[in-house]
Amino acid sequence: MAISTRITQLLGIEHPIVQGGMMWVGRAELAAAVSNAGGLGILTALTQPTPDDLRREIDRCRSMTDKPFGVNLTILPSVTPPPYADYRKAIVDSGVRIVETAGHKPQEHVEDFKGHGITVLHKCTAVRHALSAERMGVDVISIDGFECAGHPGEDDIPGLILIPAAADKVKIPMLASGGFGDGRGLAAALALGAEGINMGTRFCATVEAPIHNAIKQFIVANDERATNLIFRRFHNTGRVAKNSVSDQVVAISQQPEAVFEDIRPFVSGAKGREALETGNLDAGLVWAGQVQGLIHDIPTCQDLLAQIVGDAERIIAGRLAGFLQRQPGKVAA
């Protein structure tokens, strides 16, 4: 038995499971492992210091898998933005066939990727944004519920509402994102109208994730309450794991006169990278979602995907089918 959807057919993958782009985590080791396990692994472009470094990372991933993989390019407003066009060119020149986009005003990038025949997945946190991306010409929507790690938007709509609300209106294939980590989630996502799932935090707690084991153990030990919402007052909400740093950011932000400069020293990407690489939980932010409460082990990607898909198949064919009873006097079609 296999779960076949428009997502598996479009992306050329065995299982409808995508590893979302994650800063400092989306490297060749993880992306290749996910792809080899039958999902879609994704490199994170801006994890690499330069476009040339990205080219080398793409080549390194190709040396580790012959299966499809993608690259994430997240566009964020910045006083000194990275050279997005150069990263985009590196992706195109390297012959990458699948790109995950996210963030602010991606149209220029989407148009260029589409012009080169690249399949584009775009992450959204609202139905209106998903419809805008669909009109823009993307191929897949990844709809991100409020449970997710990273930036869940400002509408605070959880997946149980957001996914079917988007499915009612979006015509192209859709991935459900935010709060997914096991076979129950995959079966639920399919029932709600999605055709696959996008996971981030769950893939951090795998053998191949290129982060310190102390961070993986931290995620396993946490429950569903162990996150903080930061940047709320600055209208750029982010969900991160609860640690001393995020607690401090929340406390400072609650001061009536607080401005972003007051928290800037605590939230730099360099400090977050230090935490992930050294295992020092007090070094910086650790981005993680509420799905931490469903993560109880650190498997290989191969074992994780096999477990998720196997459980989903059993739920769909067994438990759910078992609720159906033929009414007396009715003949099956």
Side-chain angles (χ1 to χ4, degrees):
M1 190 183 298
I3 298 175
S4 177
T5 71
R6 287 190 294 171
I7 290 291
T8 58
Q9 295 159 14
L10 178 65
L11 302 181
I13 57 179
E14 183 181 357
H15 307 308
I17 300 174
V18 174
Q19 168 243 316
M22 295 175 283
M23 196 67 178
W24 313 125
V25 184
R27 301 178 187 271
E29 293 86 350
L30 180 58
V34 173
S35 291
N36 285 333
L40 182 75
I42 293 186
L43 301 173
T44 304
L46 298 183
T47 290
Q48 301 304 319
T50 69
D52 282 339
D53 287 308
L54 175 59
R55 288 183 173 92
R56 286 188 282 272
E57 190 72 358
I58 291 169
D59 288 342
R60 194 163 76 92
C61 194
R62 279 210 179 95
S63 74
M64 300 167 74
T65 184
D66 59 0
K67 304 288 182 63
F69 67 89
V71 176
N72 166 280
L73 184 64
T74 297
I75 302 96
L76 296 174
S78 173
V79 176
T80 54
Y84 289 117
D86 293 339
Y87 278 97
R88 188 178 74 224
K89 188 174 189 303
I91 294 168
V92 171
D93 290 349
S94 296
V96 171
R97 306 313 304 160
I98 302 169
V99 168
E100 178 188 63
T101 56
H104 189 65
K105 295 183 178 178
Q107 184 156 0
E108 168 193 347
H109 307 284
V110 169
E111 289 177 352
D112 193 24
F113 287 137
K114 293 299 298 176
H116 287 89
I118 294 172
T119 298
V120 177
L121 290 60
H122 186 66
K123 295 190 76 172
C124 304
T125 60
V127 176
R128 62 189 183 279
H129 299 155
L131 293 173
S132 175
E134 185 177 44
R135 290 191 297 270
M136 198 183 301
V138 307
D139 301 282
V140 175
I141 295 295
S142 183
I143 196 76
D144 227 358
F146 187 53
E147 305 91 334
C148 71
H151 295 281
E154 305 304 311
D155 294 340
D156 298 1
I157 309 297
L160 192 60
I161 302 300
L162 185 61
I163 296 161
D168 283 345
K169 296 183 177 180
V170 172
K171 296 180 177 62
I172 59 177
M174 196 174 72
L175 292 162
S177 181
F180 293 97
D182 60 23
R184 294 171 297 181
L186 175 55
L190 298 174
L192 291 170
E195 300 193 46
I197 56 175
N198 181 306
M199 303 193 308
T201 305
R202 186 60 186 97
F203 279 122
C204 289
T206 58
V207 170
E208 294 90 349
I211 59 178
H212 198 281
N213 191 59
I215 301 295
K216 300 178 187 182
Q217 296 292 348
F218 171 66
I219 291 171
V220 170
N222 280 343
D223 64 18
E224 64 277 7
R225 300 168 298 168
T227 67
N228 276 322
L229 291 171
I230 59 174
F231 307 152
R232 299 231 83 180
R233 73 181 297 156
F234 309 114
H235 306 291
N236 188 29
T237 299
R239 187 182 296 280
V240 297
K242 189 176 177 62
N243 67 356
S244 63
V245 180
S246 62
D247 283 345
Q248 193 166 3
V249 170
V250 170
I252 294 171
S253 300
Q254 288 173 342
Q255 300 302 312
E257 304 301 321
V259 295
F260 186 76
E261 290 304 315
D262 297 330
I263 62 172
R264 186 186 292 275
F266 304 98
V267 302
S268 75
K271 287 184 175 294
R273 180 179 185 178
E274 180 185 346
L276 292 179
E277 293 182 353
T278 67
N280 179 3
L281 295 171
D282 297 315
L285 297 176
V286 176
W287 295 80
Q290 292 178 317
V291 74
Q292 289 176 114
L294 303 179
I295 298 173
H296 309 300
D297 58 0
I298 305 171
T300 65
C301 290
Q302 182 70 47
D303 287 345
L304 175 62
L305 266 66
Q307 183 73 50
I308 289 174
V309 172
D311 285 349
E313 290 173 348
R314 284 186 287 274
I315 290 167
I316 295 166
R319 185 169 188 269
L320 297 184
F323 291 137
L324 298 175
Q325 292 186 356
R326 187 179 303 164
Q327 295 182 14
K330 290 202 173 183
V331 178

